[in-house]
Amino acid sequence: MVSASSSCDIASRHISVLPCETLAVFAPLWQEGEGPVRILDGTLGLGGHTQALLEASPRVSVCGLDRDEEALALARQRLAPYGERFHGVHCEYSRFADALDALGWDSLDGALLDIGVSSLQLDEAERGFSFYGDGPLDMRMDQHSGRPSAWHWVNRESFDRLKECIATLGEEPQAGRIARAIVDARQKDGIDTTAQLAALVERAYPAAWRAKARRHPATRTFQALRMAVNDELGELQRFLDGILRRLRLGGRLAIICFHSLEDRMVKQAMRHWAEGCRCPRHVMRCVCGHEPEVRILFKKPVQAGEDELARNPRASSAKLRAAEKIAEEGTAGSDGACA
């Protein structure tokens, strides 16, 4: 069993964002009814959100997934006091169905994603996620996955692929200059460390831009490489494609995003699920009979307040969106047919 001091030490390594707001999304699940409440935490991290859920009600059980083996080991240590109410699984969150099948969980009452990089990953230079320390260009959330690391992207990918990656995933206006600087530099010598790459990107930035920049010039480039290395948008899309079918009626989904592209994907998916008629615009009368599958819980995404930002500045870009499932996929109204 984990001692109180050990649990506090693990918790201090990463502060969960929007903890109260996230808990409020799921609270109706255990405030109503009497049976067990099964929740998926697809991005377990160090287990902060999961611990809050387990503390909220003895009826709650959580299946927590993470592809970072170090984080998973620490979360298991932290959550050991909850016994069989917690199940930690090493896998990508897009493979949630496999994990649930192994547990015999046919349906879920709730599902949660917190799609941010943990402090554990950012603060350990040897993981290669951050330019504030000097470490190898890795950036893989699962270092044993066999996936190409950031070193491969920086030293092997073409100028065009690098430019597209940095421009699209990093939303970096200087993507062309940065990609050219990387390609030119690696022809002379390899780029092996985060410090080398950060310095290279900084030099590639126009002096006027460097003077006005609020963040380090390498911020967006590192973000883009990390997202490419871990296929983060692909992971999210595969999750969104399958999660609604696993939620029971009345089940709830909460997703916290830190990146505009991910938040846009979540917003569009939830809006699509919440649509009624899906007939083409030229059809004068609905013939599809499609009913909304979810009720969106917040008109606008929930963001951290001043008190939380004072405790945890990394919460500044977090956005929470949530929905409740109100109908099965493909449900039709009484005067229509399934689409």
Side-chain angles (χ1 to χ4, degrees), residues 124-289:
E124 294 187 359
E126 61 270 20
R127 299 297 300 272
F129 283 93
S130 175
F131 43 78
Y132 288 115
D134 192 14
L137 281 171
D138 193 326
M139 300 193 192
R140 291 171 297 179
M141 292 181 179
D142 183 351
Q143 293 181 302
H144 304 290
S145 65
R147 298 180 64 90
S149 67
W151 184 93
H152 173 91
W153 273 87
V154 169
N155 288 279
R156 294 289 182 266
E157 291 293 349
S158 67
F159 165 81
D160 289 337
R161 285 206 74 191
L162 276 171
K163 179 182 176 181
E164 181 184 15
C165 170
I166 297 169
T168 303
L169 299 181
E171 299 177 299
E172 171 57 76
Q174 297 294 330
R177 291 175 63 103
I178 293 168
R180 175 54 59 196
I182 290 172
V183 171
D184 289 346
R186 76 191 189 193
Q187 291 176 348
K188 302 173 185 177
D189 198 4
I191 305 169
D192 298 318
T193 70
T194 54
Q196 286 177 308
L197 179 60
L200 182 64
V201 174
E202 187 170 17
R203 289 194 300 271
Y205 245 62
W209 284 58
R210 286 200 303 270
K212 296 178 180 179
R214 295 181 178 180
R215 299 180 295 180
H216 192 287
T219 300
R220 290 175 173 174
T221 298
F222 271 65
Q223 171 186 280
L225 290 170
R226 186 205 79 221
M227 293 181 73
V229 165
N230 296 289
D231 187 25
E232 294 182 32
L233 295 186
E235 272 289 287
L236 177 57
Q237 188 60 61
R238 290 188 288 274
F239 176 86
L240 293 171
D241 287 344
I243 190 58
L244 205 60
R245 289 191 294 273
R246 205 71 182 227
L247 281 177
R248 67 162 177 81
L249 289 179
R252 293 188 162 210
L253 171 65
I255 302 181
I256 301 170
C257 296
F258 292 78
H259 187 280
S260 60
L261 293 178
E262 292 168 334
D263 182 60
R264 192 175 306 133
M265 287 174 63
V266 173
K267 177 175 68 175
Q268 290 174 348
M270 289 187 175
R271 283 183 175 178
H272 180 68
W273 296 335
E275 287 177 349
C277 174
R278 292 180 180 173
C279 293
R281 291 182 180 273
H282 69 270
V283 176
M284 300 298 292
R285 178 179 178 274
C286 176
V287 294
C288 72

